[in-house]
């Protein structure tokens, strides 16, 4: 079955700097890769996603890149703000069936 | 409602008791998922329902765990004879169904504490 690894497990950056979180997956059949942000005491919320036929996608300060050959994808947050502090999860899915999540990255943006 | 609704939001139960957790998916969503999240940990897949198909129960940790989905909408996760290690947040999610790009949307979770 699918296995998703995520690094780093914790990340601290200064406000205004960039943050990068990387994930790798094992199943070459996976074709959909969403990223979720989870704030304390809340459910995960989708922040950006990418399909396997696209190499990069941007939404304001957030971008995701996908390398299907190497089976890895990354989340990039630019101009970080304190409200970006949260736990971020990547996931891989094969046609919207079982979503397998990475273990999460705790991002702290220091003012 | 607009989002996935879960109840109760918090539940404290005594070891050995049974608990039921409810999930109301987004209207029109045919796929429903249950995940478990222990404190500070990742998301552990439990069970997946899609339409009228047989559910994927491959993630249920023991036979004390079961789930059903009535009428293709509301789902109930039941934990029998609860143990302390069952303490976790139980997250429900739903999606439009199995298709590339159909993401899942989570509820706020049910926090279960077994004492």
């Amino acid at each position: 079955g699918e296995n998703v690894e995520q690094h780093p497990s914790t990340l601290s950056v200064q406000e205004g700097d960039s943050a990068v979180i990387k994930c790798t997956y094992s199943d070459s059949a996976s074709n959909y890769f969403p990223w979720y942000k989870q704030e304390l005491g809340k459910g995960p919320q989708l922040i950006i996603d990418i399909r396997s036929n696209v190499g990069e996608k941007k939404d304001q300060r957030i971008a995701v890149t996908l390398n299907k050959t190497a089976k890895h994808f990354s989340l990039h947050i630019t101009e970080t703000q304190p409200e970006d502090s949260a736990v971020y999860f990547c996931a891989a899915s094969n046609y919207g069936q079982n979503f397998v999540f990475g273990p999460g990255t705790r991002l702290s943006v220091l003012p | 409602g607009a989002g996935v609704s879960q109840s109760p939001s918090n539940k404290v139960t005594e070891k050995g008791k049974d608990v039921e957790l409810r999930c109301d998916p987004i209207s029109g969503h045919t796929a429903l998922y249950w995940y478990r999240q222990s404190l500070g940990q990742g998301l552990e897949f439990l069970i997946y329902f899609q339409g009228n198909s047989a559910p994927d129960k491959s993630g249920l940790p023991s036979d004390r765990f079961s789930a059903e989905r009535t009428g293709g909408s509301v789902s109930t996760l039941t934990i029998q004879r609860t143990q302390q290690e069952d303490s976790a947040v139980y997250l429900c999610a739903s999606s439009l169904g199995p298709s590339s790009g159909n993401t899942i949307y989570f509820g706020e979770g049910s926090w279960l504490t077994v004492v």
Side-chain angles (χ1 to χ4, degrees), chain B residues 93-107:
Chain B
S94 70
S95 82
L96 286 169
S99 174
S100 177
N102 280 343
T103 197
I104 57 177
Y105 297 91
F106 284 90

Side-chain angles (χ1 to χ4, degrees), chain B:
Chain B
V4 177
S5 177
Q6 292 188 245
S7 61
S9 54
N10 285 284
K11 175 74 175 179
V12 180
T13 190
E14 291 181 352
K15 178 181 173 182
K17 294 280 179 75
D18 297 352
V19 295
E20 286 189 349
L21 308 176
R22 175 189 167 104
C23 173
D24 242 305
I26 293 172
S27 178
H29 280 194
T30 61
L32 187 147
Y33 310 74
W34 283 98
Y35 285 84
R36 179 170 69 175
Q37 186 175 32
S38 300
L39 187 63
Q41 300 299 308
L43 300 165
E44 176 189 5
F45 167 75
L46 296 178
I47 190 169
Y48 161 60
F49 295 90
Q50 169 50 40
N52 295 321
S53 302
D56 176 357
K57 304 180 181 180
S58 60
L60 294 178
S62 77
D63 59 8
R64 296 187 296 105
F65 288 73
S66 63
E68 62 178 23
R69 189 177 185 192
T70 53
S73 181
V74 172
S75 177
T76 302
L77 177 69
T78 301
I79 309 172
Q80 296 178 309
R81 305 181 302 282
T82 52
Q83 304 294 314
Q84 288 186 329
E85 59 263 29
D86 299 334
S87 297
V89 177
Y90 290 82
L91 291 160
C92 177
S94 70
S95 82
L96 286 169
S99 174
S100 177
N102 280 343
T103 197
I104 57 177
Y105 297 91
F106 284 90
E108 295 291 272
S110 291
W111 189 289
L112 175 66
T113 303
V114 182
V115 297

Side-chain angles (χ1 to χ4, degrees), chain A residues 32 36 38 43 89 95-96 99 101, chain B residues 33 35 37 98-99 103-104 107:
Chain A
Y32 177 63
Y36 290 83
Q38 187 177 30
F89 293 97
Y95 284 99
F99 284 72
F101 286 82
Chain B
Y33 310 74
Y35 285 84
Q37 186 175 32
S99 174
T103 197
I104 57 177

Side-chain angles (χ1 to χ4, degrees), chain A residues 21-38:
Chain A
I21 303 170
K22 298 182 179 181
C23 288
T24 60
Y25 61 100
S26 60
D27 188 352
S28 57
S30 290
N31 56 12
Y32 177 63
F33 308 92
W35 284 88
Y36 290 83
K37 175 183 180 183
Q38 187 177 30

Side-chain angles (χ1 to χ4, degrees), chain A residues 5 10 19 25 28 33 40 42-44 50 65 68 74 76 85 102-103:
Chain A
E5 296 185 352
T10 60
Y25 61 100
S28 57
F33 308 92
L40 195 61
K42 297 192 174 183
I50 192 166
T65 58
K68 280 219 74 178
S74 300
H76 303 253
S85 295

